Amino acid sequence: QVQLVESGGGLVQAGGSLRLSCTVSGSIFGINVMGWYRQAPGKQRELVASVSSDGSTNYADSVKGRFTISRDNAKTTVYLQMNNLKPEDTAVYYCNYRRLFAWSSSDYWGQGTQVTVSS
């Protein structure tokens, strides 16, 4: 079993900053990717940013230059620093832990944290 606990959401004005944190525990091992997804009302869940166990990162075009994803040395906590927030960043943000196998993967999700950006 894998558990993810998120924190750091909230309400902020446009141009402001927030930092999300997600700590993973349980049966964590091997090659994995941790990331943040978001889902706005009426829209599909989308990838915001991810960081793999080798440190490589990936960002959605809409957040490049504004958001930064990082992991701690133990690789059990992932952070999403969000700067210059815009109203369109408003969504529920979900932490994801993806364990990679040779031919498949397993996904685990956090409970979600609300980020609201007012104009």
Side-chain angles (χ1 to χ4, degrees):
Q1 278 288 53
V2 174
Q3 297 83 39
L4 297 100
V5 178
E6 304 157 344
S7 63
L11 172 64
V12 65
Q13 288 188 330
S17 299
L18 284 173
R19 189 173 87 150
L20 305 182
S21 300
C22 173
T23 298
V24 61
S25 60
S27 300
I28 52 176
F29 57 87
I31 301 172
N32 60 81
V33 180
M34 291 191 73
W36 290 94
Y37 289 70
R38 67 187 181 187
Q39 187 167 19
K43 295 188 177 181
Q44 289 188 330
R45 190 173 297 190
E46 61 176 359
L47 174 68
V48 176
S50 64
V51 55
S52 66
S53 49
D54 68 1
S56 58
T57 58
N58 183 40
Y59 294 92
D61 288 342
S62 59
V63 307
K64 284 180 180 177
R66 300 188 297 123
F67 292 10
T68 303
I69 192 168
S70 60
R71 290 176 81 157
D72 68 341
N73 289 336
K75 299 181 181 179
T76 58
T77 299
V78 64
Y79 305 96
L80 185 68
Q81 178 66 43
M82 305 185 292
N83 298 327
N84 190 22
L85 282 159
K86 302 176 180 180
E88 52 264 43
D89 295 317
T90 296
V92 178
Y93 283 69
Y94 295 92
C95 181
N96 170 263
Y97 176 86
R98 176 169 294 164
R99 182 183 297 153
L100 303 177
F101 303 98
W103 305 108
S104 63
S105 62
S106 295
D107 280 300
Y108 302 88
W109 296 92
Q111 77 282 5
T113 186
Q114 177 70 46
V115 171
T116 302
V117 184
S118 63
S119 57

